């Protein structure tokens, strides 16, 4: 499960950044809404997968509630899932 969670965390972070840095400017500045739609769908699926895997992994590792909150808040902040992957998931603390 750790490998799936690590991959999901990285992909969720990439999709979040792609959504804001690439496809939203394309949609609003260039009038191209389709990339935003597809990247948005992918990000939505990855976001839900990240949340589910975070809860399952937190439960499996019997971590504190504070650590669960860190995992969940990371899904809302740009670059934060990369931090979580590096700090909490690489070594599987």
């Amino acid at each position: 499960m750790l490998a799936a969670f690590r991959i999901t965390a990285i992909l969720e972070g990439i999709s979040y950044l792609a959504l804001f840095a690439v496809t939203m400017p394309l949609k609003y500045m260039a009038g191209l809404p389709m990339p935003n739609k597809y990247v948005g769908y992918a990000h939505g699926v990855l976001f839900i997968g990240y949340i589910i895997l975070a809860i399952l992994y937190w439960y499996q590792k019997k971590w504190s509630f504070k650590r669960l909150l860190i995992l969940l808040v990371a899904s809302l902040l740009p670059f934060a899932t990369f931090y979580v992957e590096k700090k909490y998931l690489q070594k599987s603390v």
Side-chain angles (χ1 to χ4, degrees):
M1 179 178 357
L2 176 61
F5 189 27
R6 288 183 67 199
I7 290 168
T8 303
I10 291 168
L11 291 176
E12 196 273 339
I14 291 169
S15 71
Y16 193 30
L17 294 174
L19 192 62
F20 284 116
V22 178
T23 65
M24 288 186 95
L26 284 174
K27 179 179 180 178
Y28 293 109
M29 292 181 197
L32 298 170
M34 291 309 285
N36 194 29
K37 180 178 179 179
Y38 294 118
V39 173
Y41 286 155
H43 173 68
V45 169
L46 290 166
F47 176 80
I48 292 168
Y50 176 87
I51 296 297
I52 291 169
L53 287 171
I55 292 169
L56 292 173
Y57 195 68
W58 165 77
Y59 184 77
Q60 177 187 11
K61 296 297 279 182
K62 296 176 178 41
W63 281 343
S64 69
F65 188 70
K66 178 183 174 185
R67 191 164 288 186
L68 175 64
L69 286 177
I70 291 169
L71 294 175
L72 297 179
V73 169
S75 68
L76 303 173
L77 303 172
F79 299 104
T81 57
F82 302 122
Y83 170 78
V84 163
E85 192 275 331
K86 183 87 168 163
K87 177 152 180 147
Y88 297 109
L89 303 180
Q90 266 193 352
K91 295 182 265 183
S92 183
V93 177

